[in-house]
Amino acid sequence: MVTIIDARGLSCPQPVLLTMSRIKELSSGELDVLVDNEASRENVIRAASSQGWRVLKSEAQGEDFIVSIKK
C-alpha cells in the first residue's frame, strides 16, 4: 500500500519535515510525495536517500512533481 503525502502549496522545509515524519513512523513501505516546486523535489529526494530510502521515480506531473520512494 502506497502512502501519499500531499505537500503541494507548502514551502521548504515543510515537505521534507512531512516526509521525514512519515519515514520515522514506517520501518519500510512506499511513499508518494507530491510537491509543487523543484527545490522541494530535490530536498525530499536528498532527505529520503539519507535515511536509506530508494527513489523509484521522480517526475513532473503538470506543474507538480511526484517523488516515489521505497524501503
Side-chain angles (χ1 to χ4, degrees):
M1 181 174 174
V2 178
T3 300
I4 298 173
I5 299 172
D6 188 352
R8 293 174 292 182
L10 302 175
S11 58
C12 272
Q14 290 176 310
V16 172
L17 295 174
L18 286 174
T19 303
M20 293 301 286
S21 175
R22 192 66 181 137
I23 281 175
K24 289 180 181 176
E25 292 173 5
L26 301 171
S27 58
S28 63
E30 188 170 335
L31 300 175
D32 283 349
V33 184
L34 306 173
V35 295
D36 60 4
N37 64 75
E38 180 69 25
S40 293
R41 183 180 75 89
E42 292 297 325
N43 289 337
V44 166
I45 290 171
R46 192 173 15 258
S49 296
S50 76
Q51 299 300 309
W53 286 64
R54 184 168 46 103
V55 177
L56 300 176
K57 72 176 177 179
S58 171
E59 61 188 22
Q61 288 191 338
E63 295 181 3
D64 301 324
F65 298 91
I66 182 167
V67 179
S68 296
I69 57 175
K70 182 176 185 177
K71 184 173 186 180

